[in-house]
Structure formats: C-alpha cells, structure tokens
Amino acid sequence: MDEITNNIRRLRFDNDEMTQQQLADRIGVTRQTVNAIELGKYSPSLEVAFRIAAVFSVPIDQVFQFRGLSPKGTVPKSK
Amino acid sequence: MSLREKFAWIALVTLLFGIGGYVVVVTLGYQRILGHRQLLWIVTGLVAAIVVLPSAIRAVLTTRMPRGALTEQDERERLFELKATRIAFFVLAIGLVVSTPFIMHARGGRLEVIHCLAAAIVLSYLVKFGVEIRYHRRGY
C-alpha cells in the first residue's frame, strides 16, 4: 500500500482549498473514504481514481504515483 | 463517524440489548413460569424489536442527516460489509457445526433446538457488526 502515493491534499488546496466533503460529493464517495485515500490507507478503484483526476482536470499520474517500478519499468511481485 | 458506522453501532447495540434481555428472561427461570408458548411470543417480540427498532432509528437519522443519507454506500463501505459478512459466515458455519451435537441430543425439545440455532445466528450477526465497526474505526 505504501508504494502508491497521491497528491490529493495538494491538489485540493490548489483548487480553491477544496474540502474533503466537496471532493467526496463530486466523486460520489463519503468524506471518510476521501480521507482514507488521501492518507494512503485505502487504494480506490480505477473509476474513483479517474473521477478524482477529472475533478482536478489533471492526468491520473499527477494524482497517483506508483513507486514500485524499477528503472527498467518492471513491476516487482506484490508481497 | 460515517452514517454506515452509526447504522452498524445501532444494529449492534440493539442486538446486544435484545439478546441480553432474552438471556435474562431465560436464565431467571421465567420459562418455567411462562411456558413455551409465552416464551415463543417473547422471542417473536424481540426479533421484531431487533428488526424494527434499527430501521426506525435509521429513518430518523436519515431525515436528520440529509447529506450523509443521500450518499449511497460507496466502494470502501461495500468492501467493509463484504469482509465482515465473510468472517460472519465462518462464525455461523462453526456455530452450526458446534451446535449440531446439542441439537441431536436436545432433551428439552424444540425450544433448545431454536436456542442453539438462534445463538449461532446472533453470534454471527454480532461478529458482522463488530467487524464492520472495527474496519470503520481503522479506516481501511
């Protein structure tokens, strides 16, 4: 789970200090779920990830990053 | 605290109070005074209370918290419920296996059989709501 990081908190503040509740309302989840995603406790589905990216009008890789990639681009097996 | 967590707490507390009340009635020996038929009415009343009371409280909460109520169960909450149901299923299965010898050798008749089965079902529901609350508290 630690291999996936996100910039949601920064993106929220860059977008008129959007609250977690406002983001939650726009992507159709609860505020608690937005908080869990933001803290890296919960990895959302692709659909929710794309919705978050759409709200901020940025590509998905600007919202979520996967640190598990090696320089050659291979993906290590998950534990 | 999310609305779903509140629902889980309500269900858990209602179940605990309902079953607690019933256990008090049975252990105090009222069954001998009341008889099986009256006891069956008490069980029916308790089941109705366990089903109706949380629904009534849910309705009140939903009207008082329109924002949370409008939000449907999201994917994370659905995941919590599925995980909790999975664990509760195993508890129910184990409960039924454990209670089988008691059912086979039930000397008290139908009431003992009902008690054994009800205990397994109630325990599985307690575990379900408990696990759900645990996931909500933890956040993932």
Side-chain angles (χ1 to χ4, degrees):
Chain A
M1 197 80 87
D2 292 334
E3 290 173 339
I4 298 173
T5 57
N6 67 76
N7 298 319
I8 296 174
R9 192 178 170 82
R10 187 179 56 76
L11 286 164
R12 278 198 302 110
F13 279 91
D14 288 348
N15 281 267
D16 297 329
E17 297 189 4
M18 186 188 286
T19 62
Q20 287 185 341
Q21 185 63 59
Q22 285 168 335
L23 177 61
D25 290 341
R26 289 183 69 176
I27 61 173
V29 299
T30 60
R31 189 196 61 76
Q32 286 79 8
T33 298
V34 168
N35 186 50
I37 295 169
E38 212 172 279
L39 295 174
K41 288 179 174 177
Y42 172 71
S43 294
S45 66
L46 261 180
E47 190 185 339
V48 169
F50 274 111
R51 279 185 191 167
I52 294 169
V55 166
F56 297 123
S57 305
V58 292
I60 198 165
D61 62 349
Q62 278 189 32
V63 184
F64 294 97
Q65 295 81 38
F66 182 56
R67 289 182 174 177
L69 285 173
S70 71
K72 287 181 179 177
T74 53
V75 183
K77 286 180 182 175
S78 58
K79 291 170 189 173
Chain B
M1 190 188 288
S2 71
L3 196 66
R4 307 289 154 191
E5 190 184 343
K6 280 180 186 151
F7 288 168
W9 272 110
I10 291 163
L12 183 74
V13 171
T14 315
L15 197 60
L16 278 173
F17 271 100
I19 296 308
Y22 181 71
V23 169
V24 167
V25 169
V26 172
T27 51
L28 286 179
Y30 285 130
Q31 60 189 30
R32 288 177 191 156
I33 304 163
L34 295 170
H36 283 188
R37 183 161 290 197
Q38 285 93 334
L39 210 59
L40 213 61
W41 277 110
I42 292 172
V43 174
T44 312
L46 274 171
V47 169
I50 287 166
V51 173
V52 172
L53 202 62
S55 306
I57 298 171
R58 269 183 183 213
V60 172
L61 268 179
T62 312
T63 51
R64 290 190 70 179
M65 292 176 62
R67 177 189 267 176
L70 288 172
T71 310
E72 287 177 19
Q73 192 180 34
D74 70 14
E75 56 178 41
R76 183 171 138 274
E77 291 168 334
R78 216 172 298 130
L79 186 70
F80 288 169
E81 195 181 345
L82 286 172
K83 282 180 174 177
T85 306
R86 181 177 173 273
I87 295 169
F89 167 77
F90 285 110
V91 172
L92 178 64
I94 292 166
L96 290 178
V97 169
V98 169
S99 61
T100 303
F102 293 102
I103 293 169
M104 288 171 74
H105 302 289
R107 290 175 190 165
R110 281 179 291 180
L111 199 65
E112 278 189 15
V113 174
I114 290 168
H115 279 161
C116 283
L117 295 175
I121 293 166
V122 165
L123 192 66
S124 70
Y125 268 100
L126 287 175
V127 168
K128 181 184 180 286
F129 297 132
V131 171
E132 241 178 89
I133 290 165
R134 169 89 179 98
Y135 278 125
H136 278 290
R137 292 279 87 202
R138 200 172 63 166
Y140 60 97

